[in-house]
């Protein structure tokens, strides 16, 4: 292609071309250079706790079955029959012994091995079934119950890929003695936007709150977020934002879950439950992480974690101009059922396809994608220079740290994105 | 709910339809503050999530095999319904609509609802269980127009303006959600 990636993102990634979000050639490169070579989120172990359990997932546009084998190990296979390509799994989740293709009934085990070809009884030459299983995802690893897959056999281990992002994820995940649980099938909705737009929003863009969401978030609340808020890049491409609460903060100001509508209006029992989790936080995750009150996180390339409203989200591309956005409510696994039902509304009241707040965000991503298609303005790349060079190391927090107005989280993301695409553009 | 609806008098049927037509007109005219007066302060406003479920082999040949109910992750499930709201949520939504910075409704959507198939299914004391279907045409500048389709399962109690809605469960017909928001007043 005539377009060069080096023309799209400048050296310090403070200027990013509109074509990054709109050009079909860029998207074709992303499929190879980003989605072909990164750890991509598949699901959570709580969704497949028993042998035979499965959920559907995607790695970019590739449909995946994530399953628990009869040997209790986790498997990820491409959901496409080796015979004629149909999906062999149609349900969002369930438990099964076999995945069966509707066309000619080729049957696969829950591990993805081909176990039956109905036609072979009539034939002399039997196909070698061992060679005809579902296409397996090259690498599957999990950390703290979060399961990722990668198409590239050579990728670094998941733990080093996450790097210091683990420190920030643990501030939430390790608060709960029983771990976390993903509730039900994901909410999935289609947005006419580029996949990187939802990602960037959750990666560190805290400061749009005062403006885009001013119909819902009062100015004083947003001021407090910005005053106590920190933005961290633990490794380029990942990001974490949170409020570091003062040591003498009242427990109700500090505790996770209290600021959602479920926590606020769900009754005394829920609030006591949340206070109890906060009371154990320092002994579980240490003093400084116990004082973290999360906002949003991003894990490169397309997984987001909205800590404040407790939801994991994946931005699955469907071409340069379409996203299938998936999100799950997340709760402590050992909470009583009636408390889980209240806590899930901390997510669904404000976020998801019916959320009061998120409708503004998806509107913006659609319009931003439309703006990115204005080729007459190709000489007006988007400005990502706010706070250039102002991020610093911190005595207690790993990575680079700054105020939330600093756009360094996005510069690091697009610099990594640029470098990874450059590595494949001539291959 | 495989039974016929209750025998109603023409007056009772007319009263229910009159109420739903009035409600639809208020919503299409964006008179949300007046709409809120049709809602009981203790309302449960629900929208289950809709899931692609496995066929249960043991149910083969029975209507239960492909029942709509199996696809719903509602308030009693341990899935995640799309909406589980109280009067407070609806009040926030209504207030939001009248702020100039509620950007996804600036300019506001043009909508037209058709409500039909009104069936009185049960009566317990004053409270009426009523089913109705709706189609809603939705158009917003900058977005493709779309159709919302669904069923409402209401609990109504008699009130000054005909009835008051004390419970509403909206079962949306979607596979993937392709509409801009499910946060409308439906």
């Amino acid at each position: 292609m005539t377009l060069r990636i080096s023309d799209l993102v400048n050296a310090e990634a403070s200027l990013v071309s509109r074509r990054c979000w709109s050009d079909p050639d860029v998207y074709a490169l992303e499929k190879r250079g980003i989605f072909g070579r990164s750890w991509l989120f598949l699901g959570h172990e709580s969704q497949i706790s028993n042998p035979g359990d499965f959920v559907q997932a995607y790695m970019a546009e590739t449909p995946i079955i994530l399953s628990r084998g009869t040997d209790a190990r986790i498997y990820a296979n491409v959901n496409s029959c080796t015979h004629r390509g149909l999906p062999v799994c149609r349900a969002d989740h369930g438990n099964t012994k076999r995945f069966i293709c509707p066309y000619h009934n080729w049957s696969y085990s829950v591990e993805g091995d081909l176990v039956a070809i109905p036609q072979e009884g009539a034939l002399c030459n039997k196909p070698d079934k061992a060679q005809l299983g579902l296409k397996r995802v090259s690498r599957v690893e999990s950390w703290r119950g979060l399961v990722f897959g990668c198409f590239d056999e050579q990728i670094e281990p998941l733990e080093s890929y996450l790097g210091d992002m683990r420190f920030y994820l643990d501030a939430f995940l390790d608060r709960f003695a029983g771990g976390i649980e993903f509730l039900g099938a994901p909410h999935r909705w289609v947005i006419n936007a580029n996949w990187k737009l939802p990602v960037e929003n959750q990666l560190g863009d805290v400061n749009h709150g005062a403006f885009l969401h001013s119909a819902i978030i009062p100015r004083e609340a947003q001021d407090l977020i910005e005053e106590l808020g920190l933005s961290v890049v633990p490794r380029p491409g990942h990001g974490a934002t949170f409020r570091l609460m003062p040591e003498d903060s009242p427990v109700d100001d500090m505790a996770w879950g209290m600021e959602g509508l479920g926590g606020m209006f769900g009754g005394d029992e829920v609030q006591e439950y949340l206070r109890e989790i906060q009371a154990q936080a320092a002994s579980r995750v240490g003093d400084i992480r116990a004082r973290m009150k999360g906002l949003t996180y991003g894990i490169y390339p397309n997984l987001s974690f909205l800590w404040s409203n407790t939801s994991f989200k994946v931005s699955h591309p469907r071409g340069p101009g379409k996203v299938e956005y998936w999100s799950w409510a997340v709760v402590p696994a050992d909470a009583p059922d009636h408390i889980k039902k209240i806590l899930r509304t901390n997510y669904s009241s404000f976020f998801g396809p019916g959320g009061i707040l998120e409708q503004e965000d998806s509107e913006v991503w659609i319009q931003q994608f439309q703006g990115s298609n204005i080729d007459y303005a190709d000489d007006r790349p988007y400005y990502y220079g706010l706070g250039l060079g102002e991020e610093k190391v911190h005595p207690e927090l790993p990575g680079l740290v700054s105020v939330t107005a600093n756009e360094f989280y996005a510069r690091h993301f697009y610099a990594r994105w640029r470098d990874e695409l450059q590595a494949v553009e001539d291959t | 709910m495989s039974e016929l609806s209750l025998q109603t008098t023409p007056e009772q049927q007319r009263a229910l339809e009159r109420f739903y037509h009035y409600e639809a007109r208020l919503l299409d005219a964006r008179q949300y503050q007046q709409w809120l007066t049709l809602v009981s302060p203790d309302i449960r406003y629900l929208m289950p999530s809709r899931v692609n479920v496995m066929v249960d082999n043991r149910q083969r040949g029975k209507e239960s095999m492909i029942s709509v109910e199996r696809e719903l992750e509602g308030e009693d499930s341990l899935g995640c319904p799309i909406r589980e709201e109280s009067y407070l949520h609806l009040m926030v939504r209504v207030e939001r609509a009248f702020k100039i910075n509620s950007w996804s409704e600036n300019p506001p959507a043009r909508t037209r609802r058709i409500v039909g198939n009104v069936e009185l299914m049960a009566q317990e004391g004053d409270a009426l269980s009523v089913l109705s279907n709706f189609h809603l045409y939705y158009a917003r500048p900058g977005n493709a127009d779309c159709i919302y389709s669904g069923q409402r399962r209401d609990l109504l109690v008699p009130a000054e303006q005909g009835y008051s809605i004390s419970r509403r469960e909206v079962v949306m017909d979607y596979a993937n959600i392709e509409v801009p928001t499910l946060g409308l007043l439906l």
Side-chain angles (χ1 to χ4, degrees):
Chain A
M1 64 196 216
T2 50
L3 197 79
R4 300 298 296 173
I5 293 300
S6 55
D7 296 335
L8 300 183
V9 181
N10 70 348
E12 54 203 7
S14 58
L15 295 171
V16 182
S17 164
R18 293 168 190 252
R19 295 198 180 207
C20 291
W21 298 277
S22 57
D23 194 294
D25 290 337
V26 170
Y27 177 63
L29 265 190
E30 285 178 331
K31 290 219 275 190
R32 285 196 291 133
I34 310 285
F35 292 102
R37 303 171 72 168
S38 301
W39 281 110
L40 303 177
F41 181 71
L42 293 174
H44 189 261
E45 288 180 10
S46 63
Q47 298 172 289
I48 47 167
S49 36
N50 299 309
D53 283 355
F54 69 88
V55 291
Q56 287 209 40
Y58 274 96
M59 294 170 71
E61 296 195 53
T62 308
I64 302 292
I65 308 169
L66 180 70
S67 60
R68 177 81 64 177
T70 46
D71 56 1
R73 295 180 53 200
I74 292 172
Y75 292 85
N77 292 291
V78 176
N79 186 11
S80 174
C81 181
T82 320
H83 183 222
R84 291 294 182 269
L86 274 73
V88 296
C89 173
R90 301 182 164 227
D92 291 337
H93 54 66
N95 182 283
T96 193
K97 288 194 172 62
R98 295 282 182 266
F99 296 113
I100 299 171
C101 180
Y103 205 176
H104 304 90
N105 263 39
W106 286 35
S107 307
Y108 301 86
S109 70
V110 75
E111 297 83 13
D113 300 321
L114 180 62
V115 291
I117 302 176
Q119 298 78 20
E120 71 175 344
L123 303 169
C124 305
N125 291 322
K126 314 288 184 200
D128 180 6
K129 292 205 223 23
Q131 304 299 316
L132 294 171
L134 297 177
K135 170 83 174 165
R136 197 154 278 175
V137 176
S138 298
R139 294 271 300 278
V140 178
E141 289 181 17
S142 56
W143 178 78
R144 290 272 189 274
L146 303 169
V147 186
F148 293 75
C150 181
F151 291 128
D152 181 4
E153 184 65 46
Q154 304 302 318
I155 193 161
E156 65 187 306
L158 176 62
E159 290 205 13
S160 73
Y161 179 92
L162 295 171
D164 281 331
M165 192 64 206
R166 288 173 299 163
F167 174 88
Y168 296 99
L169 282 165
D170 257 344
F172 176 76
L173 298 172
D174 211 15
R175 275 177 192 232
F176 312 107
I180 58 162
E181 179 182 335
F182 279 46
L183 292 180
H187 294 162
R188 39 206 271 187
W189 68 107
V190 176
I191 305 169
N192 292 324
N194 182 267
W195 68 272
K196 295 185 291 299
L197 298 169
V199 168
E200 187 190 314
N201 173 286
Q202 308 277 303
L203 189 62
D205 190 345
V206 170
N207 284 38
H208 73 280
F211 309 104
L212 184 70
H213 299 303
S214 54
I216 298 295
I217 304 179
R219 183 71 233 191
E220 316 79 69
Q222 181 71 23
D223 284 346
L224 199 60
I225 288 172
E226 291 173 25
E227 183 189 321
L228 298 170
L230 290 176
S231 184
V232 180
V233 174
R235 184 184 182 184
H238 304 326
T241 61
F242 50 86
R243 289 147 288 184
L244 192 57
M245 304 301 288
E247 281 174 40
D248 57 356
S249 305
V251 62
D252 285 12
D253 287 353
M254 196 128 64
W256 160 74
M258 284 285 195
E259 61 184 336
L261 289 185
M264 261 186 250
F265 301 106
D268 293 342
E269 192 191 358
V270 167
Q271 297 197 337
E272 257 327 294
Y273 178 82
L274 296 171
R275 286 185 197 111
E276 186 55 34
I277 290 173
Q278 184 60 31
Q280 295 166 14
S283 69
R284 291 197 60 87
V285 298
D287 173 62
I288 189 157
R289 288 192 289 185
R291 290 193 285 123
M292 283 184 194
K293 189 176 180 185
L295 293 163
T296 64
Y297 283 14
I299 294 141
Y300 190 84
N302 65 338
L303 173 65
S304 305
F305 170 53
L306 180 63
W307 179 352
S308 55
N309 297 76
T310 330
S311 165
F312 276 82
K313 297 152 165 278
V314 188
S315 179
H316 292 299
R318 295 289 180 265
K322 195 176 254 199
V323 171
E324 192 173 311
Y325 206 32
W326 286 30
S327 70
W328 296 262
V330 168
V331 295
D334 54 10
D337 286 354
H338 65 284
I339 287 185
K340 287 178 182 169
K341 288 176 184 172
I342 293 169
L343 290 177
R344 70 190 175 192
T345 66
N346 276 354
Y347 152 71
S348 58
S349 302
F350 275 20
F351 290 88
I356 295 171
L357 212 64
E358 191 147 6
Q359 54 190 324
E360 245 82 68
D361 290 305
S362 32
E363 163 97 353
V364 159
W365 302 329
I366 293 165
Q367 295 185 344
Q368 196 182 347
F369 175 68
Q370 290 167 353
S372 303
N373 260 315
I374 303 172
D375 51 9
Y376 180 65
D378 264 354
D379 62 344
R380 291 291 183 279
Y382 295 151
Y383 183 75
Y384 279 85
L386 293 179
L388 191 64
E390 293 178 27
E391 55 275 15
K392 297 199 165 50
V393 292
H394 187 278
E396 290 175 281
L397 299 168
L400 290 168
V401 182
S402 193
V403 295
T404 55
N406 187 339
E407 293 175 338
F408 72 125
Y409 65 91
R411 288 191 292 276
H412 281 285
F413 179 94
Y414 287 110
R416 177 172 177 176
W417 177 89
R418 174 198 62 208
D419 295 347
E420 292 187 352
L421 292 190
Q422 276 181 322
V424 296
E425 73 178 325
D426 295 318
T427 60
Chain B
M1 273 181 281
S2 56
E3 69 276 19
L4 273 174
S5 59
L6 298 185
Q7 281 280 9
T8 57
T9 62
E11 290 72 23
Q12 192 173 26
Q13 184 71 18
R14 177 73 198 119
L16 288 169
E17 289 175 6
R18 185 169 175 245
F19 175 72
Y20 282 133
H21 293 167
Y22 175 54
E23 185 196 10
R25 175 157 51 85
L26 288 180
L27 290 171
D28 287 337
R30 304 174 192 143
Q31 292 171 297
Y32 306 129
Q33 292 157 344
Q34 290 189 57
W35 175 81
L36 206 54
T37 68
L38 306 182
V39 167
S40 161
D42 63 356
I43 188 172
R44 285 284 285 164
Y45 188 102
L46 307 161
M47 184 183 291
S49 173
R50 198 140 191 191
V51 176
N52 303 316
V53 280
M54 276 189 74
V55 172
D56 177 356
N57 250 331
R58 286 162 303 185
Q59 304 290 321
R60 229 177 340 185
K62 300 178 192 163
E63 289 185 346
S64 55
M65 183 184 95
I66 52 169
S67 77
V68 170
E69 304 312 306
R70 290 187 68 234
E71 297 173 5
L72 306 181
E73 288 187 350
E75 62 170 343
D76 295 329
S77 78
L78 272 181
C80 188
I82 289 173
R83 291 171 67 177
E84 292 180 279
E85 304 188 348
S86 64
Y87 189 85
L88 177 86
H89 293 80
L90 297 174
M91 206 173 75
V92 172
R93 289 186 188 279
V94 168
E95 281 182 7
R96 176 186 166 281
F98 297 97
K99 295 179 179 173
I100 52 169
N101 48 11
S102 59
W103 296 110
S104 68
E105 278 164 85
N106 178 3
R110 293 102 202 228
T111 64
R112 195 66 60 200
R113 289 160 174 79
I114 304 293
V115 179
N117 300 47
V118 177
E119 294 188 282
L120 175 62
M121 300 308 296
Q123 181 158 12
E124 207 168 313
D126 267 358
L128 308 178
S129 287
V130 187
L131 297 178
S132 59
N133 293 345
F134 66 91
H135 275 187
L136 186 163
Y137 184 80
Y138 179 97
R140 263 212 72 219
N143 271 323
D145 299 357
C146 54
I147 299 276
Y148 289 68
S149 167
Q151 181 188 52
R152 302 186 305 190
R153 302 167 174 187
D154 288 351
L155 205 59
L156 303 180
V157 291
E160 202 179 328
Q161 300 175 90
Y163 301 96
S164 172
I165 307 163
S166 72
R167 179 186 164 88
R168 171 164 287 173
E169 185 177 33
V170 185
V171 176
M172 294 300 299
D173 303 320
Y174 67 80
N176 271 0
I177 298 165
E178 307 247 6
V179 295
T181 174
L182 288 177
L184 306 179
L185 302 171
L186 294 168

